[in-house]
Amino acid sequence: TREPGWIEKVREFTNGRGANVIYESVGGEVFEGSLKCIAWAGRLLVIGFSSGHIPELRMNRVLLKHISVIGLNVGAYHENHSEGLRDATVQLFALYAAGKIKPVIHARYPLREAAKALRELGDRRTVGKLILEP
């Protein structure tokens, strides 16, 4: 999403259909772009606003593409439905153990370099997970 033309690349990769599910954690212009390349009846998962810009959603886009917009605040989920969060976590770890999912790991940092890792994350220079190793 940092490269020009990413919306067109999503459309090209999906043969013009658009992405069925978009995991959106940036907000701002990336959120707007996500709405442009989401598929008919797609799902937009809003999990944060790392850009610092909280977008506003024009509901005509939801209506025209028949999309679902789902917000996920893990902290609130833990407070209101902790058993569901626990069950989902168990299922995710089972999928990982079975080799059915493989998280993208951008980099590993020793714990003493946590500040550097957070700067990388905050500056949006990462793709995937950052691992802090004690």
Side-chain angles (χ1 to χ4, degrees), residues 16-90:
R17 175 174 162 66
N20 291 320
V21 178
I22 297 177
Y23 182 90
E24 213 290 291
S25 63
V26 179
E29 291 180 12
V30 173
F31 181 86
E32 291 297 321
S34 296
L35 291 171
K36 292 177 182 175
C37 66
I38 195 166
W40 165 261
R43 289 169 289 173
L44 180 60
L45 309 176
V46 180
I47 60 107
F49 313 106
S50 64
S51 69
H53 300 286
I54 299 173
E56 293 185 19
L57 178 58
R58 293 186 306 204
M59 295 307 290
N60 63 324
R61 292 185 176 184
V62 174
L63 181 66
L64 291 173
K65 285 194 168 183
H66 188 69
I67 64 171
S68 298
V69 180
I70 304 162
L72 177 61
N73 176 333
V74 175
Y77 207 90
H78 179 71
E79 291 175 15
N80 295 292
H81 191 55
S82 60
E83 64 278 357
L85 185 59
R86 184 175 45 252
D87 292 346
T89 302
V90 167

Side-chain angles (χ1 to χ4, degrees), residues 96-111:
Y96 177 75
K100 293 184 178 181
I101 59 173
K102 184 177 179 182
V104 174
I105 298 173
H106 178 80
R108 297 175 183 270
Y109 292 89
L111 187 56

